[in-house]
Amino acid sequence: MEAGGQHPKSWEDCVSWARCKWETLYHNDICQLLHCFPPGELTASGLPFWSGSKRCPHPLTFDPNNANHMEYVMAAANLYGQIYGIKWTRDSAAIRRTLEEVQVPPFSPKSSIKIHLTDKEMEEDRKKDGDDADKVRLEELKGKLSSLKSSAQMYPIDFEKVGR
């Protein structure tokens, strides 16, 4: 189950989506960053890229025995399900059983991704590309929205900030 035009049909779809989202955020995105800037990478001035406040990250491997990993999947799946009116659960045994069936796509680095090193570099690229890239992306998203089934009801979730 992937986001972007597909709606979950069951709570299991929500768990699958949450598990894949975890993989993207805590494994794949970090692997992509390390693909672009491997440990030991030097800057143009010959200094180590990963130094000072820029510490070299390490991708995580999902572990259903790690409480933090399971809490993320449970919370994300339940929030995603609530948006679509799908009954949710906090039954960790049921989540584990569902996770056993989830097919997580393997990571494959993309060579075409450009990661900006500074805000200035990002702004320069934005000026160079102009608004055309944003307009193309906007039209792409409009097309996806218009193709969604009108029967796919979504429900807003209200949040209340709780202090600790």
Side-chain angles (χ1 to χ4, degrees):
M1 157 120 286
E2 290 182 28
Q6 294 184 357
H7 297 290
K9 294 173 180 43
S10 66
W11 180 77
E12 289 79 10
D13 285 349
C14 296
V15 172
S16 179
W17 174 86
R19 172 61 182 89
C20 289
K21 184 57 76 175
W22 187 98
E23 193 74 10
T24 296
L25 295 172
Y26 300 107
H27 181 79
N28 296 352
D29 287 354
I30 295 168
C31 286
Q32 182 64 50
L33 183 63
L34 292 172
H35 174 75
C36 295
F37 303 103
E41 178 86 0
L42 299 177
T43 64
S45 60
L47 298 172
F49 179 82
W50 297 110
S51 64
S53 63
K54 283 193 295 190
R55 296 181 306 163
C56 187
H58 302 283
L60 298 179
T61 300
F62 184 79
D63 179 2
N65 296 313
N66 183 311
N68 289 329
H69 298 188
M70 288 298 287
E71 286 175 16
Y72 174 92
V73 169
M74 184 182 311
N78 287 332
L79 287 170
Y80 192 57
Q82 282 181 321
I83 291 170
Y84 291 98
I86 294 173
K87 186 174 176 356
W88 54 278
T89 184
R90 295 195 59 80
D91 180 354
S92 59
I95 292 172
R96 282 178 185 270
R97 285 191 300 274
T98 301
L99 285 172
E100 290 172 5
E101 305 298 320
V102 174
Q103 299 295 314
V104 179
F107 170 73
S108 177
K110 296 170 183 66
S111 297
S112 61
I113 295 205
K114 170 136 170 83
I115 299 174
H116 298 99
L117 299 176
T118 64
D119 289 342
K120 181 181 177 188
E121 188 178 297
M122 183 171 57
E123 191 58 38
E124 287 171 359
D125 269 3
R126 181 172 280 154
K127 285 178 185 174
K128 183 174 63 177
D129 292 341
D131 292 333
D132 292 341
D134 289 339
K135 288 178 184 174
V136 167
R137 180 71 177 135
L138 182 60
E139 290 306 313
E140 184 180 297
L141 290 171
K142 282 181 186 178
K144 281 184 178 181
L145 280 173
S146 66
S147 70
L148 295 176
K149 295 179 181 175
S150 59
S151 62
Q153 179 69 38
M154 294 179 74
Y155 306 92
I157 300 173
D158 292 323
F159 290 94
E160 188 169 320
K161 185 175 178 180
V162 178
R164 286 188 174 198

